[in-house]
PDB file of all heavy atoms in Angstrom:
ATOM      1  N   VAL T  68       7.042  24.647  17.524  1.00 98.00           N
ATOM      2  CA  VAL T  68       7.927  25.575  18.243  1.00 98.00           C
ATOM      3  C   VAL T  68       7.317  25.892  19.601  1.00 98.00           C
ATOM      4  O   VAL T  68       6.370  26.686  19.700  1.00 98.00           O
ATOM      5  CB  VAL T  68       8.139  26.875  17.438  1.00 98.00           C
ATOM      6  CG1 VAL T  68       9.065  27.817  18.197  1.00 98.00           C
ATOM      7  CG2 VAL T  68       8.690  26.559  16.055  1.00 98.00           C
ATOM      8  N   PRO T  72      10.338  27.043  28.255  1.00 93.00           N
ATOM      9  CA  PRO T  72      11.268  25.947  28.522  1.00 93.00           C
ATOM     10  C   PRO T  72      10.532  24.614  28.628  1.00 93.00           C
ATOM     11  O   PRO T  72       9.355  24.571  29.000  1.00 93.00           O
ATOM     12  CB  PRO T  72      11.917  26.324  29.855  1.00 93.00           C
ATOM     13  CG  PRO T  72      11.735  27.798  29.964  1.00 93.00           C
ATOM     14  CD  PRO T  72      10.435  28.107  29.274  1.00 93.00           C
ATOM     15  N   ALA T  78       2.993  17.787  38.657  1.00 96.00           N
ATOM     16  CA  ALA T  78       1.663  17.956  39.246  1.00 96.00           C
ATOM     17  C   ALA T  78       1.270  19.407  39.467  1.00 96.00           C
ATOM     18  O   ALA T  78       0.501  19.715  40.369  1.00 96.00           O
ATOM     19  CB  ALA T  78       1.570  17.173  40.558  1.00 96.00           C
ATOM     20  N   GLN T  80      -0.173  22.756  37.388  1.00 96.00           N
ATOM     21  CA  GLN T  80      -0.680  23.204  36.091  1.00 96.00           C
ATOM     22  C   GLN T  80       0.109  24.400  35.597  1.00 96.00           C
ATOM     23  O   GLN T  80       0.386  25.325  36.339  1.00 96.00           O
ATOM     24  CB  GLN T  80      -2.158  23.574  36.208  1.00 96.00           C
ATOM     25  CG  GLN T  80      -2.738  24.054  34.871  1.00 96.00           C
ATOM     26  CD  GLN T  80      -4.230  24.333  34.967  1.00 96.00           C
ATOM     27  OE1 GLN T  80      -5.017  23.455  35.313  1.00 96.00           O
ATOM     28  NE2 GLN T  80      -4.622  25.557  34.683  1.00 96.00           N
ATOM     29  N   GLN T  81       0.496  24.341  34.338  1.00 94.00           N
ATOM     30  CA  GLN T  81       1.079  25.526  33.730  1.00 94.00           C
ATOM     31  C   GLN T  81       0.598  25.629  32.302  1.00 94.00           C
ATOM     32  O   GLN T  81       0.181  24.637  31.686  1.00 94.00           O
ATOM     33  CB  GLN T  81       2.607  25.509  33.824  1.00 94.00           C
ATOM     34  CG  GLN T  81       3.330  24.649  32.818  1.00 94.00           C
ATOM     35  CD  GLN T  81       4.838  24.860  32.951  1.00 94.00           C
ATOM     36  OE1 GLN T  81       5.403  24.789  34.029  1.00 94.00           O
ATOM     37  NE2 GLN T  81       5.494  25.113  31.828  1.00 94.00           N
ATOM     38  N   LYS T 104     -11.921  18.936  15.862  1.00 95.00           N
ATOM     39  CA  LYS T 104     -10.913  19.831  16.424  1.00 95.00           C
ATOM     40  C   LYS T 104      -9.859  20.154  15.361  1.00 95.00           C
ATOM     41  O   LYS T 104      -9.562  19.331  14.491  1.00 95.00           O
ATOM     42  CB  LYS T 104     -10.218  19.175  17.627  1.00 95.00           C
ATOM     43  CG  LYS T 104     -11.143  18.829  18.778  1.00 95.00           C
ATOM     44  CD  LYS T 104     -11.657  20.069  19.485  1.00 95.00           C
ATOM     45  CE  LYS T 104     -12.586  19.697  20.638  1.00 95.00           C
ATOM     46  NZ  LYS T 104     -13.156  20.881  21.290  1.00 95.00           N
ATOM     47  N   HIS T 113       7.317   8.609  28.824  1.00 97.00           N
ATOM     48  CA  HIS T 113       8.173   7.749  28.014  1.00 97.00           C
ATOM     49  C   HIS T 113       8.051   6.267  28.339  1.00 97.00           C
ATOM     50  O   HIS T 113       8.317   5.423  27.488  1.00 97.00           O
ATOM     51  CB  HIS T 113       9.638   8.190  28.143  1.00 97.00           C
ATOM     52  CG  HIS T 113      10.042   9.177  27.097  1.00 97.00           C
ATOM     53  ND1 HIS T 113      11.266   9.163  26.473  1.00 97.00           N
ATOM     54  CD2 HIS T 113       9.358  10.207  26.536  1.00 97.00           C
ATOM     55  CE1 HIS T 113      11.337  10.148  25.589  1.00 97.00           C
ATOM     56  NE2 HIS T 113      10.193  10.804  25.620  1.00 97.00           N
ATOM     57  N   PRO T 140       7.072  12.827  37.700  1.00 97.00           N
ATOM     58  CA  PRO T 140       8.387  13.075  37.107  1.00 97.00           C
ATOM     59  C   PRO T 140       8.670  12.110  35.959  1.00 97.00           C
ATOM     60  O   PRO T 140       8.120  11.010  35.884  1.00 97.00           O
ATOM     61  CB  PRO T 140       9.356  12.826  38.271  1.00 97.00           C
ATOM     62  CG  PRO T 140       8.524  13.052  39.495  1.00 97.00           C
ATOM     63  CD  PRO T 140       7.156  12.548  39.145  1.00 97.00           C
ATOM     64  N   SER T 172      12.017  12.563  41.177  1.00 95.00           N
ATOM     65  CA  SER T 172      12.506  11.192  41.195  1.00 95.00           C
ATOM     66  C   SER T 172      11.642  10.341  40.271  1.00 95.00           C
ATOM     67  O   SER T 172      10.454  10.135  40.519  1.00 95.00           O
ATOM     68  CB  SER T 172      12.446  10.652  42.629  1.00 95.00           C
ATOM     69  OG  SER T 172      12.850   9.312  42.638  1.00 95.00           O
ATOM     70  N   GLY T 214     -20.712  -7.340  32.997  1.00 94.00           N
ATOM     71  CA  GLY T 214     -20.811  -8.530  32.167  1.00 94.00           C
ATOM     72  C   GLY T 214     -21.753  -8.405  30.991  1.00 94.00           C
ATOM     73  O   GLY T 214     -21.889  -9.332  30.195  1.00 94.00           O
ATOM     74  N   ALA T 253     -19.410  -3.728  18.402  1.00 97.00           N
ATOM     75  CA  ALA T 253     -17.997  -3.458  18.666  1.00 97.00           C
ATOM     76  C   ALA T 253     -17.538  -2.202  17.930  1.00 97.00           C
ATOM     77  O   ALA T 253     -18.094  -1.817  16.904  1.00 97.00           O
ATOM     78  CB  ALA T 253     -17.141  -4.647  18.229  1.00 97.00           C
TER      79      ALA T 253
END
Side-chain angles (χ1 to χ4, degrees):
V68 180
Q80 180 176 302
Q81 79 174 50
K104 299 290 180 183
H113 268 219
S172 177

